[in-house]
PDB file of all heavy atoms in Angstrom:
ATOM      1  N   GLN A 259    -108.484  68.145-125.977  1.00 68.00           N
ATOM      2  CA  GLN A 259    -107.841  69.438-126.201  1.00 68.00           C
ATOM      3  C   GLN A 259    -108.376  70.120-127.463  1.00 68.00           C
ATOM      4  O   GLN A 259    -108.689  71.319-127.464  1.00 68.00           O
ATOM      5  CB  GLN A 259    -106.336  69.251-126.298  1.00 68.00           C
ATOM      6  CG  GLN A 259    -105.681  68.840-124.979  1.00 68.00           C
ATOM      7  CD  GLN A 259    -104.215  68.510-125.146  1.00 68.00           C
ATOM      8  OE1 GLN A 259    -103.739  68.359-126.273  1.00 68.00           O
ATOM      9  NE2 GLN A 259    -103.514  68.383-124.036  1.00 68.00           N
ATOM     10  N   ILE A 260    -108.507  69.356-128.536  1.00 67.00           N
ATOM     11  CA  ILE A 260    -109.012  69.933-129.784  1.00 67.00           C
ATOM     12  C   ILE A 260    -110.479  70.316-129.651  1.00 67.00           C
ATOM     13  O   ILE A 260    -110.927  71.364-130.118  1.00 67.00           O
ATOM     14  CB  ILE A 260    -108.795  68.952-130.951  1.00 67.00           C
ATOM     15  CG1 ILE A 260    -107.297  68.719-131.167  1.00 67.00           C
ATOM     16  CG2 ILE A 260    -109.441  69.463-132.227  1.00 67.00           C
ATOM     17  CD1 ILE A 260    -106.993  67.644-132.184  1.00 67.00           C
ATOM     18  N   GLY A 261    -111.258  69.446-128.982  1.00 62.00           N
ATOM     19  CA  GLY A 261    -112.683  69.708-128.844  1.00 62.00           C
ATOM     20  C   GLY A 261    -112.970  70.928-128.002  1.00 62.00           C
ATOM     21  O   GLY A 261    -113.929  71.668-128.263  1.00 62.00           O
ATOM     22  N   LEU A 262    -112.184  71.157-126.996  1.00 59.00           N
ATOM     23  CA  LEU A 262    -112.400  72.326-126.147  1.00 59.00           C
ATOM     24  C   LEU A 262    -112.075  73.614-126.884  1.00 59.00           C
ATOM     25  O   LEU A 262    -112.640  74.680-126.590  1.00 59.00           O
ATOM     26  CB  LEU A 262    -111.552  72.213-124.879  1.00 59.00           C
ATOM     27  CG  LEU A 262    -111.981  71.108-123.896  1.00 59.00           C
ATOM     28  CD1 LEU A 262    -111.016  71.047-122.721  1.00 59.00           C
ATOM     29  CD2 LEU A 262    -113.411  71.337-123.401  1.00 59.00           C
ATOM     30  N   GLU A 263    -111.161  73.546-127.833  1.00 64.00           N
ATOM     31  CA  GLU A 263    -110.802  74.740-128.587  1.00 64.00           C
ATOM     32  C   GLU A 263    -111.806  75.027-129.696  1.00 64.00           C
ATOM     33  O   GLU A 263    -112.025  76.175-130.079  1.00 64.00           O
ATOM     34  CB  GLU A 263    -109.402  74.564-129.183  1.00 64.00           C
ATOM     35  CG  GLU A 263    -108.298  74.481-128.131  1.00 64.00           C
ATOM     36  CD  GLU A 263    -106.944  74.206-128.761  1.00 64.00           C
ATOM     37  OE1 GLU A 263    -106.909  74.041-129.998  1.00 64.00           O
ATOM     38  OE2 GLU A 263    -105.950  74.145-128.012  1.00 64.00           O
ATOM     39  N   ASN A 264    -112.400  73.975-130.254  1.00 64.00           N
ATOM     40  CA  ASN A 264    -113.356  74.148-131.360  1.00 64.00           C
ATOM     41  C   ASN A 264    -114.665  73.471-130.983  1.00 64.00           C
ATOM     42  O   ASN A 264    -114.788  72.255-131.050  1.00 64.00           O
ATOM     43  CB  ASN A 264    -112.775  73.544-132.637  1.00 64.00           C
ATOM     44  CG  ASN A 264    -113.642  73.847-133.851  1.00 64.00           C
ATOM     45  OD1 ASN A 264    -114.697  74.478-133.745  1.00 64.00           O
ATOM     46  ND2 ASN A 264    -113.181  73.397-135.011  1.00 64.00           N
ATOM     47  N   THR A 265    -115.641  74.264-130.592  1.00 63.00           N
ATOM     48  CA  THR A 265    -116.922  73.700-130.140  1.00 63.00           C
ATOM     49  C   THR A 265    -117.731  73.105-131.279  1.00 63.00           C
ATOM     50  O   THR A 265    -118.687  72.354-131.040  1.00 63.00           O
ATOM     51  CB  THR A 265    -117.745  74.786-129.440  1.00 63.00           C
ATOM     52  OG1 THR A 265    -117.936  75.889-130.348  1.00 63.00           O
ATOM     53  CG2 THR A 265    -117.042  75.270-128.181  1.00 63.00           C
ATOM     54  N   ASP A 266    -117.392  73.387-132.526  1.00 66.00           N
ATOM     55  CA  ASP A 266    -118.139  72.824-133.645  1.00 66.00           C
ATOM     56  C   ASP A 266    -117.914  71.324-133.786  1.00 66.00           C
ATOM     57  O   ASP A 266    -118.740  70.627-134.406  1.00 66.00           O
ATOM     58  CB  ASP A 266    -117.732  73.529-134.949  1.00 66.00           C
ATOM     59  CG  ASP A 266    -118.093  75.001-134.941  1.00 66.00           C
ATOM     60  OD1 ASP A 266    -119.037  75.365-134.191  1.00 66.00           O
ATOM     61  OD2 ASP A 266    -117.443  75.779-135.665  1.00 66.00           O
ATOM     62  N   ASN A 267    -116.811  70.836-133.258  1.00 66.00           N
ATOM     63  CA  ASN A 267    -116.482  69.412-133.390  1.00 66.00           C
ATOM     64  C   ASN A 267    -116.888  68.587-132.177  1.00 66.00           C
ATOM     65  O   ASN A 267    -116.424  67.459-132.016  1.00 66.00           O
ATOM     66  CB  ASN A 267    -114.967  69.241-133.620  1.00 66.00           C
ATOM     67  CG  ASN A 267    -114.516  69.855-134.917  1.00 66.00           C
ATOM     68  OD1 ASN A 267    -115.290  69.921-135.875  1.00 66.00           O
ATOM     69  ND2 ASN A 267    -113.274  70.306-134.956  1.00 66.00           N
ATOM     70  N   LEU A 268    -117.744  69.138-131.308  1.00 69.00           N
ATOM     71  CA  LEU A 268    -118.089  68.417-130.078  1.00 69.00           C
ATOM     72  C   LEU A 268    -118.747  67.061-130.341  1.00 69.00           C
ATOM     73  O   LEU A 268    -118.402  66.072-129.681  1.00 69.00           O
ATOM     74  CB  LEU A 268    -119.008  69.293-129.220  1.00 69.00           C
ATOM     75  CG  LEU A 268    -118.324  70.441-128.467  1.00 69.00           C
ATOM     76  CD1 LEU A 268    -119.338  71.230-127.664  1.00 69.00           C
ATOM     77  CD2 LEU A 268    -117.236  69.904-127.557  1.00 69.00           C
ATOM     78  N   PRO A 269    -119.713  66.927-131.278  1.00 73.00           N
ATOM     79  CA  PRO A 269    -120.298  65.590-131.528  1.00 73.00           C
ATOM     80  C   PRO A 269    -119.255  64.578-132.001  1.00 73.00           C
ATOM     81  O   PRO A 269    -119.253  63.422-131.565  1.00 73.00           O
ATOM     82  CB  PRO A 269    -121.352  65.868-132.605  1.00 73.00           C
ATOM     83  CG  PRO A 269    -121.692  67.298-132.439  1.00 73.00           C
ATOM     84  CD  PRO A 269    -120.406  67.972-132.043  1.00 73.00           C
ATOM     85  N   GLU A 270    -118.347  65.005-132.890  1.00 73.00           N
ATOM     86  CA  GLU A 270    -117.302  64.095-133.363  1.00 73.00           C
ATOM     87  C   GLU A 270    -116.341  63.723-132.250  1.00 73.00           C
ATOM     88  O   GLU A 270    -115.936  62.560-132.122  1.00 73.00           O
ATOM     89  CB  GLU A 270    -116.547  64.760-134.518  1.00 73.00           C
ATOM     90  CG  GLU A 270    -115.467  63.874-135.112  1.00 73.00           C
ATOM     91  CD  GLU A 270    -114.727  64.578-136.234  1.00 73.00           C
ATOM     92  OE1 GLU A 270    -115.159  65.673-136.643  1.00 73.00           O
ATOM     93  OE2 GLU A 270    -113.705  64.020-136.689  1.00 73.00           O
ATOM     94  N   VAL A 271    -115.981  64.718-131.440  1.00 70.00           N
ATOM     95  CA  VAL A 271    -115.087  64.450-130.310  1.00 70.00           C
ATOM     96  C   VAL A 271    -115.755  63.510-129.319  1.00 70.00           C
ATOM     97  O   VAL A 271    -115.131  62.588-128.784  1.00 70.00           O
ATOM     98  CB  VAL A 271    -114.674  65.769-129.635  1.00 70.00           C
ATOM     99  CG1 VAL A 271    -113.919  65.499-128.342  1.00 70.00           C
ATOM    100  CG2 VAL A 271    -113.825  66.599-130.578  1.00 70.00           C
ATOM    101  N   ARG A 272    -117.037  63.730-129.071  1.00 72.00           N
ATOM    102  CA  ARG A 272    -117.773  62.864-128.131  1.00 72.00           C
ATOM    103  C   ARG A 272    -117.780  61.420-128.623  1.00 72.00           C
ATOM    104  O   ARG A 272    -117.549  60.487-127.861  1.00 72.00           O
ATOM    105  CB  ARG A 272    -119.202  63.386-127.989  1.00 72.00           C
ATOM    106  CG  ARG A 272    -120.088  62.540-127.088  1.00 72.00           C
ATOM    107  CD  ARG A 272    -121.472  63.161-126.957  1.00 72.00           C
ATOM    108  NE  ARG A 272    -122.339  62.327-126.161  1.00 72.00           N
ATOM    109  CZ  ARG A 272    -123.056  61.313-126.650  1.00 72.00           C
ATOM    110  NH1 ARG A 272    -122.977  61.021-127.946  1.00 72.00           N
ATOM    111  NH2 ARG A 272    -123.824  60.595-125.855  1.00 72.00           N
ATOM    112  N   ALA A 273    -118.048  61.217-129.914  1.00 74.00           N
ATOM    113  CA  ALA A 273    -118.064  59.855-130.461  1.00 74.00           C
ATOM    114  C   ALA A 273    -116.691  59.203-130.370  1.00 74.00           C
ATOM    115  O   ALA A 273    -116.556  58.014-130.036  1.00 74.00           O
ATOM    116  CB  ALA A 273    -118.543  59.899-131.909  1.00 74.00           C
TER     117      ALA A 273
END
Side-chain angles (χ1 to χ4, degrees):
Q259 292 174 347
I260 297 173
L262 291 177
E263 294 176 358
N264 187 358
T265 57
D266 296 335
N267 296 331
L268 284 180
E270 182 181 352
V271 172
R272 177 178 177 274

